[in-house]
Amino acid sequence: MQGAVELRGVVKRFNTFTALRRMDLTIRQGEFFTMLGASGCGKTTTLRLIAGFELPTEGHILIDGQDVSDVPAHLRPVHTVFQSYALFPHLSILDNVSFPLTVRRVPRRQRLERARAALDLVQMGGFPDRKPSQLSGGQQQRVALARALVNEPKVLLLDEPLGALDLKLRKEMQHELKQMQRRLGITFVFVTHDQEEALTMSDRIALMRGGEIIQLDTPSGLYNAPSSLYAAEFIGETNMIPGRVVEAGAGRARVEALGGHFDVACSEPPAAGAAVTLTIRPERVTPVAANASNSAGGRLVDVDFIGTDLRLVYTMSDGTRVTLRRQNTGAAPPQVGQGAQLGLAADDLRLFVT
Ligand code: ATP
């Protein structure tokens, strides 16, 4: 299937600085696609290239199969929503939303009809005559969205659009945005540095680092099967366990770590002697019987109460700390100082050569 947006061999240099290294990427029709990464990794540059605010140094950009590399921003079938809502303060909400249609010389009646429909879509049809200053941040962002949708863009580009909202509103808007995207079937290209937001909202995520995509995956793929230590650390919480391979077999390695031995499932096991880091998510660590395989003993040093969950931190016999996360069932948490045997199942461990 033809992509909604395609980047073919796109490189972006600012003078001598390379912000994007040869990017090849196909964003599918109707998907919620997120570019995620730390500050400076090139997310916004990629978005600006798609929007046409920047031109690629090398390569081509296609929207709906058409090469738009030389098409100016205002003629591309995309619309960008920024973190700063960029509404006109002196115009009413309705006029703000109908503005893009005014620019395109759409007749007044049709313009107002479409603007009202767009406001209804974001549940802001109630006060079309108010000025932006008479709205809350979340309401202003909804108006900015309505203004983006009024042109019926094929692709909506969203640059940290929820960044200025407080946490509760942000969560609500995450939900609404996703619902809206599903309903409208428009391709959303979303930029965020917030990994939780990316996991919650996206069909697929491009994790970027240093001007490159280092993993392109579904949220569960990225979380459950990070392809690098960087991805494992960037997405969610993870235990990092130093170890050494003692035996390599077909599809598995045996690793000495935490004062014990662990079998680890891996497609290309490194040779015996290799220094490795094992990772495992805290919710996959489980208390087990003292003689269980793939386990090691530790002592509880810290308990964090996080409402729905408890975080239990153990120091293992080699000094490594291992965090276990479990649901809060209402039972009293274990006492600091208690010993426990922690199980790390072969399929839950991931291995990276260090
Ligand atoms: P943030 O989350 O901080 O917005 P980002 O991942 O969106 O980060 P970009 O804005 O894409 O990062 O910037 C990528 C790199 O390119 C950064 O090192 C930035 O300093 C550089 N850069 C961006 N725009 C320009 C420019 N116009 N001139 C020179 N360097 C630039």
Side-chain angles (χ1 to χ4, degrees), residues 90 246-247 323 327 331:
H90 58 287
V246 289
E247 194 190 321
T323 300
Q327 223 181 351

Side-chain angles (χ1 to χ4, degrees), residues 287-302:
V288 292
N291 57 358
S293 59
N294 259 45
S295 74
R299 192 157 297 283
L300 187 63
V301 290
D302 205 2

Side-chain angles (χ1 to χ4, degrees), residues 62-78:
L62 285 78
I63 298 176
D64 241 6
Q66 302 292 316
D67 192 332
V68 296
S69 307
D70 298 323
V71 176
H74 69 282
L75 293 180
R76 295 191 185 187
V78 300

Side-chain angles (χ1 to χ4, degrees), residues 14 17 19 37-46 54 159-160 191 193:
F14 294 105
F17 178 75
S39 182
C41 70
K43 316 179 284 290
T44 300
T45 300
T46 310
E54 300 283 358
D159 192 357
E160 305 245 8
V191 159
H193 63 267

Side-chain angles (χ1 to χ4, degrees), residues 268-311:
E268 290 171 24
V276 294
T277 299
L278 301 180
T279 66
I280 186 167
R281 300 290 182 193
E283 69 274 17
R284 311 303 297 186
V285 178
T286 47
V288 292
N291 57 358
S293 59
N294 259 45
S295 74
R299 192 157 297 283
L300 187 63
V301 290
D302 205 2
V303 178
D304 290 333
F305 179 74
I306 339 178
T308 55
D309 284 10
L310 290 175
R311 263 177 96 249

Side-chain angles (χ1 to χ4, degrees), residues 22-289:
R22 240 198 113 68
M23 188 181 282
D24 288 292
L25 170 67
T26 300
I27 298 172
R28 299 173 188 149
Q29 301 279 355
E31 80 174 324
F32 198 122
F33 187 90
T34 298
M35 282 179 292
L36 171 70
S39 182
C41 70
K43 316 179 284 290
T44 300
T45 300
T46 310
L47 204 74
R48 290 174 62 79
L49 284 164
I50 300 170
F53 301 137
E54 300 283 358
L55 295 176
T57 313
E58 286 174 31
H60 294 270
I61 294 172
L62 285 78
I63 298 176
D64 241 6
Q66 302 292 316
D67 192 332
V68 296
S69 307
D70 298 323
V71 176
H74 69 282
L75 293 180
R76 295 191 185 187
V78 300
H79 195 108
T80 312
V81 178
F82 300 97
Q83 180 176 338
S84 60
Y85 323 119
L87 298 175
F88 299 115
H90 58 287
L91 292 185
S92 71
I93 299 312
L94 190 64
D95 288 340
N96 259 289
V97 175
S98 66
F99 183 77
L101 302 176
T102 313
V103 175
R104 293 192 174 201
R105 300 186 188 281
V106 174
R108 184 179 150 78
R109 217 173 116 193
Q110 209 181 330
R111 207 161 72 208
L112 295 181
E113 255 171 38
R114 279 172 63 182
R116 285 207 179 89
L119 279 171
D120 283 343
L121 209 58
V122 296
Q123 286 149 16
M124 285 296 295
F127 16 79
D129 300 325
R130 283 206 199 164
K131 296 278 167 54
S133 62
Q134 295 169 306
L135 300 178
S136 72
Q139 290 170 330
Q140 289 185 51
Q141 189 54 289
R142 272 179 220 186
V143 173
L145 267 172
R147 190 178 52 184
L149 294 170
V150 80
N151 258 336
E152 295 166 5
K154 294 207 165 99
V155 179
L156 200 59
L157 307 173
L158 302 114
D159 192 357
E160 305 245 8
L162 310 179
L165 307 178
D166 68 52
L167 189 64
K168 188 157 178 288
L169 191 55
R170 198 175 167 135
K171 297 260 179 232
E172 277 172 30
M173 285 291 288
Q174 283 175 4
H175 184 68
E176 275 185 32
L177 255 185
K178 190 164 175 176
Q179 297 272 324
M180 199 188 299
Q181 191 266 342
R182 291 245 168 94
R183 225 171 38 236
L184 298 173
I186 297 177
T187 308
F188 274 30
V189 186
F190 191 86
V191 159
T192 184
H193 63 267
D194 180 336
Q195 47 97 13
E196 203 177 308
E197 186 162 283
L199 291 179
T200 310
M201 301 182 76
S202 320
D203 294 315
R204 286 193 306 158
I205 299 171
L207 178 62
M208 294 185 63
R209 186 187 191 191
E212 279 179 314
I213 295 175
I214 59 164
Q215 190 168 355
L216 179 59
D217 219 326
T218 58
S220 64
L222 205 52
Y223 185 84
N224 292 328
S227 63
S228 60
L229 259 186
Y230 182 83
E233 260 192 301
F234 194 85
I235 309 285
E237 190 179 1
T238 199
N239 286 296
M240 308 276 272
I241 300 165
R244 185 166 298 279
V245 175
V246 289
E247 194 190 321
R252 58 175 279 285
R254 192 160 174 77
V255 177
E256 188 177 16
L258 305 176
H261 288 90
F262 294 85
D263 282 321
V264 184
C266 62
S267 50
E268 290 171 24
V276 294
T277 299
L278 301 180
T279 66
I280 186 167
R281 300 290 182 193
E283 69 274 17
R284 311 303 297 186
V285 178
T286 47
V288 292

